[in-house]
Amino acid sequence: MSDNSAPRWGSEMLSVLRIVSALIFLLHGSQKLFGVPATDQQPPLMSLMGVGGVLEFVGGLLLLVGFLTRPVAFVLSGMMAVAYWMFHAPQNLFPTLNGGDAAILYCFVFLYLAVVGGGKWSVDAMRDPVRRGL
């Protein structure tokens, strides 16, 4: 691959990152809300974990299609930062020991999406003629 392939495929790969991250993220929410994929843990809807499940599922769906990408990703990035510091860091500061590495990765992937948007393959890009030609 030549050095100019990054500008050529950058927006498409941004969309791929958004789609894959959102799909995996919304599965966490569907597990909490609907028990799918199967799990033993289904928290009450009006609990902190239940509200987290709603944000994961609805936010994941919105990011999956790239609708309102920037504000949704910003909220989800903050949610993942809070999740890390509330649930993982008290066990151990090191993410490899406290199971919080996914929360950190989601936090920064979503922060990145909040800054750059959803990429070429998003509802946001379809709605904004200026950004269509990313």
Side-chain angles (χ1 to χ4, degrees):
M1 252 188 211
S2 65
D3 288 337
N4 65 357
S5 65
R8 181 171 176 215
W9 293 101
S11 185
E12 287 84 354
M13 288 311 298
L14 170 61
S15 293
V16 170
L17 174 67
R18 174 184 47 78
I19 292 165
V20 171
S21 300
L23 184 58
I24 297 168
F25 193 70
L26 80 84
L27 286 174
H28 288 282
S30 72
Q31 235 180 355
K32 290 178 181 86
L33 297 177
F34 312 117
V36 177
T39 181
D40 293 336
Q41 299 176 354
Q42 224 173 335
L45 187 59
M46 287 299 137
S47 67
L48 193 56
M49 294 293 282
V51 171
V54 170
L55 286 170
E56 289 167 347
F57 187 74
V58 174
L61 280 175
L62 291 170
L63 286 184
L64 183 66
V65 298
F67 182 63
L68 301 173
T69 302
R70 286 186 166 112
V72 170
F74 183 76
V75 168
L76 295 180
S77 175
M79 177 188 143
M80 288 291 91
V82 169
Y84 180 79
W85 291 107
M86 277 186 77
F87 299 108
H88 299 284
Q91 296 174 36
N92 189 304
L93 189 59
F94 296 100
T96 52
L97 299 177
N98 67 24
D101 38 4
I104 292 171
L105 282 171
Y106 279 124
C107 178
F108 284 94
V109 166
F110 294 154
L111 186 59
Y112 177 65
L113 293 174
V115 172
V116 299
K120 188 179 248 180
W121 299 332
S122 68
V123 172
D124 293 338
M126 289 177 9
R127 293 177 62 217
D128 184 357
V130 174
R131 297 193 50 81
R132 243 183 251 160
L134 298 172

